[in-house]
Amino acid sequence: ELRMSIHDLRDEGVTTGGLSAAIADAARREAAHAGTAVHLRVADTPFRASPAVETELYRITQEALVNVRRHANASNVWVSCHAGPGGVAVSVEDDGVGLQPGRPDSVGMAMMAERASRVGAQLEISPRPGGGTIVSLEYSPAWRRETQAQ
């Protein structure tokens, strides 16, 4: 697991293949590692956010996928990513045990929120109807400009 973490720190998939491709690869990798079925919905256009924004969005999604593997005990994970001129929308849903009380030494969800705030993205983590968790992430270049102006 440490080796995977170090590899992921050096992963240049976002810059070379784009955000959607990097997220799809991460979803396949985490699902294979967990023995979870992955269902992908990816829609791409030539739109690209800045490399710094795409990296943060990727890392948030990657953390959501790692959480599914480590904590959800899920059979399925649904991952969608749409990147277009209006922005980026990503969701990670699982059919696992749902949100559990956080451990005092757990920083994953706080880091996700910090990363989203850093780039002006909106992050929502909520229970999935029927069981599991939904992590929704939205980024709009217009939101980013508004955040920077304040």
Side-chain angles (χ1 to χ4, degrees):
E1 194 162 312
L2 179 60
R3 184 175 298 147
M4 283 180 62
S5 295
I6 291 169
H7 169 75
D8 288 339
L9 287 172
R10 300 174 62 206
D11 188 2
E12 295 182 17
V14 176
T15 57
T16 59
L19 180 61
S20 294
I23 286 174
D25 288 346
R28 286 186 200 99
R29 186 173 53 248
E30 289 298 331
H33 190 64
T36 304
V38 64
H39 310 275
L40 292 168
R41 287 176 292 169
V42 177
D44 245 343
T45 66
F47 169 81
R48 294 291 303 263
S50 73
V53 168
E54 287 192 353
T55 297
E56 294 292 0
L57 299 177
Y58 172 74
R59 295 291 182 213
I60 294 165
T61 306
Q62 185 180 38
E63 179 67 22
L65 291 164
V66 168
N67 286 343
V68 171
R69 176 175 51 87
R70 288 184 181 161
H71 308 296
N73 195 26
S75 299
N76 294 280
V77 62
W78 294 269
V79 179
S80 67
C81 179
H82 174 74
V88 178
V90 178
S91 73
V92 176
E93 298 184 35
D94 69 75
D95 61 357
V97 298
L99 293 169
Q100 303 295 309
R103 296 183 331 263
D105 64 337
S106 178
V107 296
M109 289 176 54
M111 297 263 318
M112 291 167 66
E114 181 181 313
R115 286 179 182 277
S117 177
R118 190 178 308 156
V119 296
Q122 294 181 342
L123 174 69
E124 183 179 330
I125 302 170
S126 58
R128 181 177 174 267
T133 304
I134 302 172
V135 175
S136 299
L137 180 62
E138 293 185 22
Y139 168 79
S140 167
W143 297 339
R144 178 68 175 169
R145 285 190 296 273
E146 290 171 12
T147 303
Q148 289 175 334
Q150 294 176 356

